Amino acid sequence: MKMKKTFWMMTLCLGLFACENNTVSKKQQENKTVTDGVEVLYFYGKQRCPTCKAIEQETKELVSTTFADEVKNGKLLFKTLDIEENEALAEKYQITWSSLVLVDYDNGEEKVEDMTKFAFGNARKSPETFKNGLTDKIKEMLN
């Protein structure tokens, strides 16, 4: 009986520790940046329409599949950012509502591409058009 209690206590502790690490990981991900590559930044507000959700979902899926190698080697980073919690960054890129922004970092230079209009026009109703256009733009910026 004592062995079972010990096993369950260890399992519970490991589970709690793992949850704690996931929280830290998410926070670390928010603070992570790319110095030579591309950041894909999806900003969102409190109210999120179906199109806003589609932009995030389609972008996340595209980055994690099509650009898995670039993510792994640190050349591409996708961030989902709450506008209110990231005011300085939102102000830097002049973000006032849900937006999709690509930032290309190359030798200390920063080139910003606002994909918001394209994203809202395609992510929900034409997801393949959205993914193809976003893929082309990311590849262009990575080269």
Side-chain angles (χ1 to χ4, degrees):
M1 184 71 165
K2 193 172 189 174
M3 185 79 120
K4 281 186 178 181
K5 275 187 179 179
T6 303
F7 171 78
W8 288 111
M9 289 300 286
M10 287 179 68
T11 302
L12 178 63
C13 288
L14 286 172
L16 291 173
F17 181 72
C19 289
E20 181 68 24
N21 280 342
N22 286 340
T23 302
V24 171
S25 250
K26 183 179 180 201
K27 201 59 166 169
Q28 287 173 338
Q29 182 68 17
E30 288 175 6
N31 294 328
K32 192 174 179 181
T33 59
V34 171
T35 55
D36 183 28
V38 176
E39 284 184 349
V40 179
L41 308 176
Y42 171 67
F43 290 89
Y44 65 92
K46 288 184 182 204
Q47 298 294 325
R48 299 182 71 197
C49 68
T51 303
C52 295
K53 292 175 184 177
I55 293 168
E56 179 183 8
Q57 179 183 332
E58 297 295 334
T59 304
K60 185 183 290 186
E61 182 182 311
L62 174 74
V63 169
S64 66
T65 57
T66 304
F67 295 101
D69 290 339
E70 290 82 356
V71 170
K72 192 175 186 177
N73 69 27
K75 289 290 187 183
L76 183 68
L77 180 63
F78 174 69
K79 291 183 182 181
T80 302
L81 304 162
D82 182 313
I83 295 169
E84 288 184 15
E85 292 175 11
N86 296 278
E87 284 184 51
L89 201 55
E91 189 174 309
K92 176 181 179 178
Y93 298 117
Q94 301 176 345
I95 304 299
T96 55
W97 65 70
S98 293
S99 299
L100 182 63
V101 176
L102 305 180
V103 184
D104 183 5
Y105 297 95
D106 187 21
N107 296 322
E109 298 289 320
E110 185 177 304
K111 178 184 170 196
V112 179
E113 185 75 35
D114 187 348
M115 300 291 291
T116 305
K117 189 173 182 178
F118 174 77
F120 271 92
N122 294 289
R124 185 164 164 238
K125 294 187 178 186
S126 302
E128 288 309 310
T129 300
F130 172 70
K131 285 182 181 178
N132 290 336
L134 188 55
T135 297
D136 291 345
K137 185 52 76 174
I138 291 172
K139 283 181 178 179
E140 175 187 316
M141 293 176 103
L142 285 170
N143 291 325

